[in-house]
Amino acid sequence: MGVTVKLDHAKCVGHGRCYELAPEVFGEDERGHCTILVECVPPEHEKAALIAAANCPEDAIKLARS
Amino acid sequence: MEQKENPCPHTGVLNIIDPEYTAHPQPAYARVLANHRVAKSIAMHSPILSRYEDVVFALRHPEIFSSEMDMQVLLGTKRPMIPQQIDPPRQTRYRKILDLRFSRPRMQALEPELRRHAQQLIDGFVERGECEFDQEFAVPLPCAAFLTLMGLPQEELDLFLELKNGIIRPPVDPMDMIAATEFRMKTGERIYAYFEKAIADRRARPQDDMVTYLTTVDFDGRPLSDEEILDICYLLLLGGLDTVTATLGCSMAYLASNPEQRRKLVAKPELIPNAVEELLRWETPVSLVPRVLKQNVTIGDVELREGALVNILLGAANVDPAEFPDAMNVDFERENNRHISFGAGAHRCLGSHLARMELRAALEEWHKRIPEYQIKPGAVPNVSPGIREQLYLPLVWSA
Ligand code: HEM
Ligand code: SF4
């Protein structure tokens, strides 16, 4: 049981909300677009990952409980 | 006293230059959202989109809602500004080279100098017990950061302000459109000439700055032409100065008028980054962006025609209750905040990382030194339309 994150690269335009709000889960490439650091989120970062997804104005991040 | 309603409940015409609206637009946004899926601007009755859903749809579909429009009359430009007035896929190619220079780590490197500058500005007036926030803080702070970023000498601050104001607020009778256009075109010539000189200079003597970068960067296997560099610099000048000034002014006007909210930030400065986002949402200083239709499109039951100019009201989308629970409440601890104050889609603000750094640092430095302040009693707000700059914001505190 855990949360996995998926990024829709076609939607991401680099607002950077995700890597500011959940730096343990999301990183940035050199253009400032999102990269996924850990696909399976450890429980202690779940809340941050949720908040990051809920703050992405492009709706580019999807979380799934597996 | 009875007030004329804005927007007009019968026609859905929104008066976007009414001083009461420019100072406090949120109640009018709420009325537009509730009653007029497609409202009309008082300027030529062009349609206004306001729902979060419609606004985001428009911003993500540049093939319908195009940014390619002739704004020479309003901006003094001879060619479209890059990348704001061109559409993907061409726009995306420019963003690829520009994004690299506006990334978060690059902007964070400018932070120590910006903080020092903020402290110096505060030193200049703290003991006076008052300041005119716009001219003494909100204008000079981002302008200095902009000059550093571009690699231009700080002594040219006044010249820069003159050039930018010559486009945005030409010093002529506001009703005289012809005089305004002439003034803008003359100022535009000066802006082109100024950057032409800077480009020639950097080609001869490269430095570690933005203009040099633009002269040397590889753009799909070729260098940028001088015209392309000019069209980028022109936009940076217009987009990078007023916007941060306006956001600082709107944020401080809010905090000065809402002491209980301000005290939360003073007590818990770690709330400032989130408060900056919430103030961006609530105030939406760049309240509206224009688009032109490339095809017919139906919004709700209104058909909009190819060629029409459409106003995208970011400010209204940011208080849409369908997207933001308790939208009319300013909550510095709001957890879900997909505000679109920096736009959305392909044209998402290039300077957003710079702007966020500046806003956070400025609010932190200010509240460390001046935690209690208010708007000078009796002062009448004067907020410009479109980009909502607080043109006159006298603040007082006990020194
Ligand atoms: C809080 C301050 C700022 C706000 C609220 C803001 C807002 C915006 C918005 C709403 C857009 C989208 C325009 C559209 O879709 O037509 C935009 C685009 C842009 N902004 Fe900002 N901006 C800010 C600061 C800055 C700064 C500091 C810079 C540069 C130094 C900058 C440079 C740009 C550029 C170049 C674009 C065009 C991007 C493109 O078309 O691809 N902005 N900004
Ligand atoms: S917040 Fe969304 S758009 Fe922004 S960088 Fe993250 S994934 Fe991309």
Side-chain angles (χ1 to χ4, degrees), chain A residues 7 11-19 32-34 55-58 60-61:
Chain A
L7 172 73
K11 285 185 174 175
C12 174
V13 296
H15 288 266
R17 300 298 294 137
C18 55
Y19 49 83
H33 287 196
C34 172
N55 280 271
C56 169
E58 308 296 336
I61 299 167

Side-chain angles (χ1 to χ4, degrees), chain B residues 81-100:
Chain B
M81 298 191 296
I82 298 175
Q84 197 181 359
Q85 295 179 325
I86 53 179
D87 290 336
R90 208 157 71 87
Q91 181 257 5
T92 317
R93 290 164 47 210
Y94 290 108
R95 281 301 291 255
K96 280 191 179 143
I97 55 168
L98 291 170
D99 283 343
L100 301 176

